[in-house]
Amino acid sequence: MAPARVLGSELMSKAAILTVDDDPMVSAAISRDLRRRYGADYRVVRASSGPEALEVLARLVLRSQPVALVVSDQRMPQMTGIEMLEQARTHVSDAKFLLLTAYADTDVAIKAINDIGLDYYLLKPWDPPEQRLYPVVDDLLDDWAKAHPDHTTDVRIVGHRWSDRSHETKTFLARNHVPFQWYDVELHAEGKRLSDLAHAAPDDLPLVLVPDGETLRAPSPLQLAGALGLRTTAQQPLYDVCIVGGGPAGLAAAVYAASEGLSTVVVEREGPGGQAGQSAAIENYLGFPRGLTGFDLTQRAVAQVTRFGAEMVLARDVAGFETRGPVHAVRFDGAEEVEARSLIVATGVSYRRLEADGLDALTGRGVYYGATASEASQCQGDDVYVVGAANSAGQAALNLARYAKRVVLVVRGPTIEATMSRYLVKRITSSPQIEVRCHSQVVACRGQGHLETLTLERRDTGTREDVTSSWLFVFIGATPHTDWLGADVVRDAKGFVVTGPDLFSPAYEQRWPLPRAPLALETSVPGVFAAGDVRLDSMKRVASAVGEGAMSVYLVHRYLANP
């Protein structure tokens, strides 16, 4: 019996892959294929029915045996695959689920993506497995492994949760996909112990403890990047293309440029991914029916960039650029610079600052622009307020509701339907943890050392209400990062870069210097292109930013062929 097989002590060293199928021949085939590919790293376990599979999972959980993947047939007696997986979620909430099904059951499988969190469905038969089975399972197991790292080599951070410097450090590590463990000096005994061992003064916090490295005391992002071995300087004297900004547009440009043979460098101030990289879920991106997190999208994109040979220079602020004949020089703070024959501006946008009394002093101390997973997990059992009515605010509210006691979405307008995607509106309005307050705005923030109270105002009546909360997340508007471009690159009044035919509008028509017309994404400086959210009248969607990043490389080729 399968339960007897799982109790063997040899299973304890590996995570399990459980296969469930009532047909002995199919069960043997799927187990054989999985064992051949993954047997060195995972223990493949078989069950012949839904009830037996649930018994196996219960025994694995009781023995602290991790389960990475459950692969189940859909059509089984007693219990269908989806019915089994729905119950299995209570046993192994973090396992990946793969359903094997017939073409006639695809509608049921697609519905299960939303209903039970099905990760993927695969039509039978899966031959040849090298083409149809293994690529799917590779992705699922990679995602599971990333969510279950070996924490013995993690960076440790010791600080105070209401410290803006601690927040900056955690955000930098999270955005650069560096796993870390967080210890609060007031809430965690280990944090206090480590602080005492380091003889840390308040100004030394946060401490960053790097395995096999020196203890860092309140490091800057550049110091932190250097200690972690992240690249902070360019390796070549001249590149075909320099891409400033590592969001979806910049990463897409890097993938296409490097894969097509252009020497490519990406300069990123904080961490790859941009605003999209902080999204808890991107559900309308083509090719991912279950959606994916911004972290996952960014990690996959960075892997592609690296695979094709593009360089990434991190933690560097770009101070300006200048054109030197056929070369554009991008200057960093200090004396360093990068030279390239073409330049793509993909610096994206940041959330606009909220105008409220007392808010600036509490930024990073309970008031945050955007939200990373580390902030969301710290809101356990608290009341949380989110300002904004676009998709980013909606996704953040849903993610925070997984931890918080209550999430209040503060919306200036009369409704969220006009500014948020329908699938998000439906989830928000049906969530018992989320309250939507329309015609409302935050007008004041107060607290000693960290946020403690907010003042909300009804815009239609002017009435005000003070509420208690230590968490405010802001998702409003968009401010482009373009000050470094100087006067030669034409921008509109809000700072968005003007490109292509728009340069011939009455306001800018005297600024294009060449007899030829500018290329579609070319700025007023020949050879300098803009892609993604930073560009005037761009769509402000991940897919469109990726498309513009790819298109910009096509235009770079045209420019380099005839500068």
Side-chain angles (χ1 to χ4, degrees), residues 82 146 230 304 374 409 445:
I82 290 175
K146 290 169 187 171
L230 302 178
Q304 282 181 294
S374 61
L409 189 60
C445 302

Side-chain angles (χ1 to χ4, degrees), residues 51-124:
E52 183 183 346
L54 294 174
E55 292 180 14
V56 170
L57 290 173
R59 286 170 171 77
L60 290 170
V61 171
L62 289 173
R63 288 184 173 264
S64 299
Q65 173 70 43
V67 178
L69 175 66
V70 180
V71 182
S72 177
D73 184 36
Q74 166 60 5
R75 295 192 178 187
M76 296 185 294
Q78 298 179 273
M79 182 183 293
T80 68
I82 290 175
E83 290 170 342
M84 184 277 296
L85 291 173
E86 184 174 19
Q87 294 188 43
R89 188 61 81 188
T90 63
H91 296 327
V92 285
S93 61
D94 54 354
K96 297 296 181 180
F97 287 171
L98 172 62
L99 189 71
L100 301 178
T101 186
Y103 179 79
D105 295 325
T106 54
D107 287 346
V108 175
I110 292 171
K111 187 173 184 295
I113 291 174
N114 285 331
D115 291 348
I116 68 167
L118 179 69
D119 293 284
Y120 209 92
Y121 70 90
L122 194 63
L123 297 181
K124 297 162 66 174

